[in-house]
Amino acid sequence: MEYQIIMDSCGELTEEMKNLGIVSSVPLTLQVGDTEVIDDAAFNQADFLKLVASTDACPRSACPSPELYKQSFDTNAKRIYIVTLSANLSGSYNSAVLAKTLAAGKDTTAQIHIFNSCSASVGQTLIARKVIECEELGMSFEKTIETVAKYIDKMNTVFVLEDLSFLQRNGRLTGLKYIAASLLHILPILAATPEGTICQLSQARGVKKAMAELLDNVLKFAEAAKPSRFYISYCNSLDRAKFLRDKISEKSPAAEIKLLDMRGVSTMYAGDRGIIVAF
């Protein structure tokens, strides 16, 4: 194997990535009350949503250990690229860095680079796809890193949450704000900042207006960046993902647009009916 790509399980895997056999996933652990859920191939989104809805406990995630990362390194790979969710949202990046240090010169002779996605979910997927593109073009390890780093700097991640309970449980919304937002059905349109934190772009009352606002922001950002790929992840909201796909396709008919069902970590953060667009 010439190269390997490793993502933590916040990143979604396309069917093409699975079929290539060079992209692997290291699971985070989700904790809901006394129940622990491993975010691996056995993750069941519907069961997890029911579990979260059944308790007032705040869902939490634990990043992969350095040892788990190290165990995922393919000893035959000459180049290993790791794509983690934003270092400002999780310890996954730091854990991968430590795994690289532990493996250096002992468990692998591969060149290893860790990309802090400054994003999550399909943002990570896009980065992994960019690495594949660079490798297929025959770029060197150093040139691939440089090219992908520039790609990350220009990438956008925009999302809408319908279920605000996770933000409320984590102290991001006060009780009064949460009650008011819920009663008025006000939905925030959120985005990843260049540093990998979360900011609010705007808000809208009701799902229909929120989706229109989300689309407006996507098209506005895309007009300047002219991206060739739009990846959309969804949690129990395939209808909304298809709506976005169709509208984006009208404006960018040549773009590659993929719809991906959220895995565990994305499901936990986005909540039921959440949707994320990265481009």
Side-chain angles (χ1 to χ4, degrees):
M1 179 182 288
E2 286 293 317
Y3 72 101
Q4 177 191 20
I5 299 172
I6 301 168
M7 285 197 289
D8 61 43
S9 63
C10 189
E12 325 297 347
L13 293 174
T14 67
E15 288 303 315
E16 291 86 350
M17 288 176 179
K18 293 175 185 177
N19 293 335
L20 279 174
I22 57 170
V23 185
S24 58
S25 182
V26 178
L28 280 83
T29 303
L30 311 178
Q31 188 79 33
V32 185
D34 295 328
T35 304
E36 188 175 273
V37 178
I38 305 300
D39 188 16
D40 56 15
F43 173 78
N44 185 294
Q45 187 184 84
D47 288 347
F48 183 77
L49 290 174
K50 289 177 185 177
L51 175 64
V52 172
S54 70
T55 177
D56 291 330
C58 178
R60 300 188 183 280
S61 63
C63 66
S65 67
E67 183 60 32
L68 196 58
Y69 265 117
K70 191 160 71 73
Q71 290 173 6
S72 71
F73 295 169
D74 190 314
T75 54
N76 295 316
K78 296 178 181 177
R79 299 175 297 283
I80 299 175
Y81 305 95
I82 305 173
V83 184
T84 74
L85 69 103
S86 172
N88 275 314
L89 299 177
S90 168
S92 185
Y93 175 81
N94 290 332
S95 187
V97 170
L98 183 53
K100 175 182 175 180
T101 302
L102 293 173
K106 183 171 61 175
D107 297 297
T108 180
T109 58
Q111 295 174 293
I112 303 173
H113 184 79
I114 303 154
F115 292 106
N116 170 14
S117 71
C118 295
S119 180
S121 186
V122 276
Q124 293 172 249
T125 315
L126 278 178
I127 294 166
R129 180 65 186 85
K130 191 66 178 179
V131 171
I132 294 169
E133 180 183 284
C134 292
E135 281 281 347
E136 288 179 344
L137 289 171
M139 290 185 188
S140 67
F141 184 68
E142 294 76 14
K143 185 63 177 177
T144 296
I145 293 169
E146 178 188 347
T147 303
V148 175
K150 289 179 179 177
Y151 182 79
I152 292 172
D153 287 342
K154 295 179 180 178
M155 193 173 68
N156 294 281
T157 308
V158 187
F159 51 105
V160 163
L161 310 182
E162 181 172 344
D163 180 3
L164 302 179
S165 63
F166 179 81
L167 293 179
Q168 190 265 339
R169 293 182 203 183
N170 277 272
R172 301 290 180 88
L173 286 175
T174 66
L176 289 176
K177 283 185 177 180
Y178 174 64
I179 292 170
S182 298
L183 288 175
L184 297 174
H185 206 40
I186 294 173
L187 306 182
I189 291 81
L190 305 168
T193 67
E195 298 77 27
T197 57
I198 297 173
C199 67
Q200 182 171 331
L201 297 175
S202 58
Q203 62 185 35
R205 186 172 181 177
V207 171
K208 190 172 181 179
K209 289 182 179 178
M211 289 302 297
E213 187 74 13
L214 173 64
L215 177 62
D216 284 347
N217 277 281
V218 169
L219 296 180
K220 179 180 68 177
F221 293 144
E223 186 176 356
K226 293 184 170 42
S228 60
R229 298 186 181 101
F230 295 81
Y231 284 8
I232 303 168
S233 61
Y234 59 92
C235 177
N236 192 31
S237 54
L238 180 57
D239 54 334
R240 296 176 188 176
K242 288 181 176 179
F243 163 79
L244 290 171
R245 177 196 62 194
D246 294 345
K247 292 298 184 182
I248 292 169
S249 183
E250 289 176 9
K251 295 290 185 179
S252 303
E256 174 190 318
I257 306 174
K258 288 191 179 297
L259 310 184
L260 297 167
D261 203 0
M262 288 183 189
R263 302 176 69 186
V265 180
S266 299
T267 294
M268 188 187 81
Y269 280 99
D272 193 19
R273 302 289 285 166
I275 195 150
I276 302 171
V277 187
F279 53 97

